[in-house]
Amino acid sequence: MVNDANLSLMHVHQSNISSQYQDFVVDLSPSLLLQIMRSYDLKSADISGEYIFDIATVNQLIETSAFINANSALNTLLEGMKQWPKQLSWLQFNQHINNMLIAWLSDYKAGADLDAAFFLARNLHLKSSKSAGFQSLLMHLLARATNQLDQYKFNYIQNFDLETGLPNQKLMLRMLEKNLHWDTKTLQFSSAHLGLILINLNINFEEASQLNAASSDLVLASIQIIQQHLSDDATLFHVGPSELAIMVGNLNFPAQLNLITSKLSHAFESELPLENTTLILKPFFGAISTFNSQTNALAMHEHARLTLHHAILKNEQVKIYDQHITSSFMNTHLLDEAIIEALQQNELAIYLQPIVSIPHEICGSVEVLLRWPNQQWQAISPVKLIDTIYKKGFGKVFIRWLINSACRQCAELMTVHRRKMSLTINLCGKDLLDADLPELLAQSIALWDIPAECLVIEITESDLLIDETLAIQVIDKFVLLGCKLALDDFGTGYSSMARLRNMPIDFVKIDQSFVRNIASSKEDRAIVQSVVKLAHSLGKAVIAEGVEDLDCLNILQEMKCEKIQGYYYAKPMPFDDFIVWLGKFEATKASASA
C-alpha cells in the first residue's frame, strides 16, 4: 500500500505497478492461525497428524482433463502438498501453513486458478474426525491470502493509472498537501515554492479515429514527449482520460512556470511518434504556483483546473493563474446556493442507465443517477451536487425526493409502458443512519403501488464504517420490506468477505476502475475474476460497471458475470429517452433472434 512515507516529491517513480505487486508478503502468526482454526472447531492438539496427500487422485485429474492446461502455473503449491509431512508439531504446522500460502501466492501471481488450489486442499487429509474441518481451514486460508493479495493490489492501484503507469490525481493531491508547508505565524510558505501544471491534451477523437490512432496511444506518446522535458524536480501524473498534471518543486521565481509551459508547448509542435500515423497535438496548459496562490492542495488544484478551463475557452494554449480567473468563473458560495435552489425548485433530474443481463441481453433493470440540466453550471458533477446538498443540511429532503421520484418512474414503467423493471437507488452513509428512512420507503412503495422487489438499494462498504450497527439495522428493514440489496465498490479484503457472507446482499457491483481495462490488464482481470468467483460461491449475482467495448463484454461473459452496465449499451439518459432506447434495443434483439 502506498503510505505517507513515500509521498515526497522526489520519491514517486514513474513505473508500472508490477514491482510493487511483487513486494507483497504473507506471514500468518500462530495466535491468528489458532484464532481462525477455532472457527472450524480445531485446536492445536488436533493437527499433529497423521496426514495423507492423495496424489493418485490429483495425478488422475491432471492426466485426464484440461486441468493442467488451465493451471499450468500451479506447480509450487503442488510440490509443497506432495512433501507435506505425516506428523507435525504445532510450530511445524504453523510454518508449513505459511510455506503453503507463500507457494500458492507464487502460483497465483503466475496465473494459477483458486479453484485448482481448493482441489489440492481437498486432497490433503488428516486421519481423524477433524479432517473435514482441516480441509475447510486450508481453503479458508488460501482464499484469505488470495484476497489479501488482491486487496494489496487494489490499495496500490488506487494511486496509479495502470495503462500509463503514472501516479493519479488522488496521489497528486496527497503529495501536494504533504509538500505545502504553510507557516501560520509568518503567513508564508516555509518550504520551497511549488508549481502545478494541468494539461489537456486536446485530443480530437474523431480525427484520431480517422487516422487509425487510439486515444491511449496518443496519451502515451504525449507522456513520452513531456517526460523528455521534465527536470528532476518535476513529477508527472495522469489525472483524466486525456489530462495530465505536473507538480514542480523548488521554484525560484514566478516566471519559471511560464518557461516550463512554453518549453512544453513548443515540444508538441513536432509530430507525435505514432506508428503509421502523423498527428500534431496542441495541448492546453493551466498553471499555478505558490507565489500567486497561498492555499491548500484542494484549492490549489481547483484554481489550476479553472485556469486550464479558462485557457480552453479562450483558446489560449498557456494560461497562468491570477485572481480574476476564480471570480470570473465560479464563486463557491454562489454555486452552493444555486444547487440548493435547484433542489428546492425541483430542477434536479434523475437519469436512468440500463443494466443488461447476459448472455441473452435483456434489460430488466436500471440505475437511478442524479443530474442537473442547467446551462450555467454544466460542468458540475453529481458528486459535487450530492456533497453540497448534504453539507448544507438538505440530505433528508434530497433522499426523500430521490426515492419518491424513483418509485414514480417505476410505477410509470409498469402501468404505462408495461415493463416490470428494477430501479437501483444509491444511498450514502448518512442515509443509512436515518432510522426513519425505511418507513419513508415503505410509504412511497405503497403510494405508487409498486412491488418492493423492484427497488434495489445500493450501498458501499465504506458507508457501513460510520456506524455499522445502526446502518445494518436500517438495511435489515429495507430487506424486510422486500427490497433487494447491492454492494458497490466491493473491496477484496477479509472484512469484505465476512460482510458479503453475513449480510443479505443480492448483488455485488464491481467498480468500473477494475472493469474498464480487463482486456489489456492481467491485474484487473485477476481481481474481477476473484470477485466474481467469491460472489458466486456465496450465491450473489455480479454487476460489472464501466463496460465500454465488446472485448470487455466477452471476457465478463466468460467469467459468468450476470449483469452489465456501461457505455457499451447506453449512457445515462432521461426517462423519455430511456423508453425510446428500450424499444429500439428490444426490437434489435428480437430481429437478431428471428
Side-chain angles (χ1 to χ4, degrees):
M1 182 184 299
V2 177
N3 54 51
D4 288 340
N6 298 323
L7 293 182
S8 67
L9 199 59
M10 300 299 296
H11 284 83
V12 173
H13 49 275
Q14 320 282 352
S15 65
N16 190 275
I17 69 166
S18 58
S19 61
Q20 298 290 335
Y21 165 70
Q22 298 296 334
D23 289 342
F24 177 81
V25 293
V26 62
D27 185 14
L28 192 64
S29 68
S31 58
L32 180 56
L33 176 58
L34 194 59
Q35 180 181 346
I36 297 174
M37 287 170 57
R38 293 193 187 103
S39 301
Y40 297 94
D41 194 27
L42 290 170
K43 302 176 182 177
S44 58
D46 295 328
I47 48 77
S48 58
E50 173 182 3
Y51 294 94
I52 297 175
F53 182 58
D54 191 354
I55 188 62
T57 299
V58 173
N59 286 337
Q60 183 179 10
L61 179 64
I62 290 176
E63 294 170 359
T64 59
S65 72
F67 179 91
I68 195 63
N69 295 328
N71 297 280
S72 58
L74 194 68
N75 297 318
T76 315
L77 180 60
L78 178 58
E79 288 303 313
M81 290 290 193
K82 288 180 180 178
Q83 298 173 19
W84 195 278
K86 290 187 177 181
Q87 301 284 338
L88 287 171
S89 67
W90 166 245
L91 292 179
Q92 290 172 332
F93 177 77
N94 182 231
Q95 184 60 52
H96 272 77
I97 288 293
N98 276 301
N99 290 342
M100 177 195 74
L101 297 179
I102 293 171
W104 158 240
L105 291 180
S106 175
D107 291 342
Y108 181 60
K109 292 174 184 178
D113 191 276
L114 183 58
D115 288 341
F118 286 167
F119 169 77
L120 294 184
R122 285 193 292 269
N123 282 280
L124 181 59
H125 302 282
L126 175 62
K127 292 188 66 176
S128 77
S129 60
K130 304 290 187 177
S131 184
F134 166 71
Q135 290 177 344
S136 296
L137 170 68
L138 292 187
M139 288 186 280
H140 175 113
L141 295 175
L142 289 168
R144 180 180 183 275
T146 304
N147 281 277
Q148 282 181 322
L149 176 59
D150 288 340
Q151 180 70 63
Y152 177 88
K153 292 187 291 182
F154 171 81
N155 289 334
Y156 188 81
I157 64 178
Q158 295 309 295
N159 297 282
F160 284 81
D161 175 67
L162 291 179
E163 188 169 7
T164 64
L166 295 177
N168 62 17
Q169 179 174 300
K170 178 180 178 181
L171 185 53
M172 180 196 73
L173 290 173
R174 290 172 62 194
M175 287 181 60
L176 190 61
E177 190 67 49
K178 185 176 180 63
N179 287 277
L180 283 173
H181 302 289
W182 177 252
D183 192 325
T184 56
K185 294 182 179 179
T186 63
L187 299 181
Q188 293 181 346
F189 285 101
S190 58
S191 63
H193 282 282
L194 298 177
L196 180 63
I197 304 170
L198 296 187
I199 307 170
N200 183 301
L201 294 174
N202 193 23
I203 294 175
N204 185 320
F205 292 95
E206 183 177 347
E207 178 184 357
S209 177
Q210 292 171 353
L211 293 172
N212 297 319
S215 60
S216 58
D217 293 336
L218 294 175
V219 172
L220 292 172
S222 301
I223 289 171
Q224 183 178 344
I225 288 178
I226 293 171
Q227 287 178 325
Q228 291 172 354
H229 294 82
L230 291 184
S231 66
D232 292 338
D233 289 330
T235 305
L236 184 61
F237 301 84
H238 184 273
V239 296
S242 60
E243 290 192 0
L244 304 170
I246 303 170
M247 183 156 52
V248 186
N250 299 317
L251 288 178
N252 297 313
F253 49 89
Q256 195 172 343
L257 274 186
N258 300 70
L259 296 175
I260 295 172
T261 52
S262 177
K263 181 172 66 173
L264 290 174
S265 64
H266 286 310
F268 279 90
E269 293 176 355
S270 301
E271 297 174 352
L272 290 178
L274 298 173
E275 185 178 357
N276 301 322
T277 302
T278 57
L279 189 64
I280 296 178
L281 292 183
K282 185 181 178 181
F284 293 99
F285 300 85
I288 187 172
S289 74
T290 52
F291 284 106
N292 53 17
S293 177
Q294 299 178 348
T295 183
N296 59 35
L298 285 173
M300 189 173 183
H301 175 243
E302 179 68 11
H303 290 162
R305 189 185 66 81
L306 290 176
T307 305
L308 176 62
H309 189 43
H310 180 93
I312 294 172
L313 286 180
K314 302 295 183 181
N315 198 28
E316 300 177 20
Q317 191 171 10
V318 176
K319 184 67 181 178
I320 307 298
Y321 173 80
D322 57 58
Q323 186 62 41
H324 87 274
I325 291 177
T326 302
S327 58
S328 65
F329 267 92
M330 185 183 300
N331 182 286
T332 302
H333 175 72
L334 291 178
L335 174 59
D336 289 352
E337 293 299 317
I339 290 173
I340 299 306
E341 183 178 357
L343 173 64
Q344 294 174 328
Q345 298 298 322
N346 202 29
E347 294 175 2
L348 299 180
I350 59 174
Y351 279 35
L352 305 180
Q353 184 171 31
I355 300 174
V356 177
S357 300
I358 55 175
H360 301 297
E361 293 191 304
I362 298 172
C363 180
S365 55
V366 295
E367 182 173 3
V368 174
L369 299 168
L370 180 66
R371 295 292 185 269
W372 186 18
N374 182 291
Q375 292 298 317
Q376 182 181 358
W377 307 104
Q378 293 183 56
I380 307 304
S381 70
V383 174
K384 170 63 176 175
L385 293 175
I386 293 173
D387 286 348
T388 300
I389 288 170
Y390 280 87
K391 179 182 68 176
K392 293 294 185 178
F394 287 83
K396 288 190 175 184
V397 174
F398 166 73
I399 198 62
R400 281 153 177 73
W401 168 82
L402 181 66
I403 288 174
N404 189 65
S405 299
C407 290
R408 174 177 55 79
Q409 292 196 354
C410 184
E412 186 173 344
L413 282 167
M414 292 179 61
T415 57
V416 178
H417 302 284
R418 305 299 178 186
R419 300 290 203 289
K420 183 179 180 181
M421 192 160 294
S422 297
L423 275 71
T424 297
I425 303 173
N426 292 277
L427 298 187
C428 71
K430 292 182 179 179
D431 297 326
L432 298 179
L433 303 182
D434 185 354
D436 297 328
L437 193 56
E439 178 60 28
L440 170 80
L441 184 61
Q443 292 173 3
S444 292
I445 290 172
L447 173 65
W448 295 104
D449 192 23
I450 61 173
E453 65 186 22
C454 286
L455 294 182
V456 179
I457 305 301
E458 182 174 312
I459 61 172
T460 63
E461 185 181 13
S462 58
D463 289 333
L464 300 174
L465 302 180
I466 301 175
D467 186 335
E468 186 166 350
T469 301
L470 180 55
I472 290 178
Q473 290 175 357
V474 173
I475 289 169
D476 286 341
K477 292 179 180 179
F478 292 148
V479 176
L480 286 174
L481 287 174
C483 300
K484 302 294 185 181
L485 189 65
L487 184 63
D488 195 13
D489 293 344
F490 178 66
T492 52
Y494 180 67
S495 62
S496 296
M497 293 172 61
R499 288 196 178 96
L500 190 59
R501 180 187 63 209
N502 298 327
M503 288 182 62
I505 296 164
D506 301 281
F507 305 103
V508 171
K509 298 193 76 173
I510 307 178
D511 188 74
Q512 59 182 321
S513 62
F514 296 126
V515 173
R516 188 182 295 113
N517 298 314
I518 60 174
S520 58
S521 168
K522 293 181 180 179
E523 291 84 1
D524 281 6
R525 189 182 306 187
I527 291 174
V528 172
Q529 178 76 76
S530 176
V531 173
V532 170
K533 287 190 174 184
L534 178 60
H536 285 172
S537 69
L538 296 173
K540 317 297 183 183
V542 179
I543 303 172
E545 298 179 298
V547 179
E548 298 183 355
D549 55 63
L550 183 59
D551 289 341
C552 180
L553 175 66
N554 289 336
I555 292 171
L556 290 165
Q557 189 163 337
E558 291 175 4
M559 292 180 181
K560 309 298 182 185
C561 178
E562 290 88 351
K563 295 178 181 292
I564 300 297
Q565 182 177 351
Y567 285 9
Y568 177 79
Y569 285 113
K571 297 181 179 180
M573 63 193 89
F575 182 86
D576 291 341
D577 292 349
F578 170 72
I579 296 300
V580 174
W581 174 90
L582 182 61
K584 292 180 179 179
F585 179 76
E586 293 177 341
T588 301
K589 297 308 168 186
S591 175
S593 61

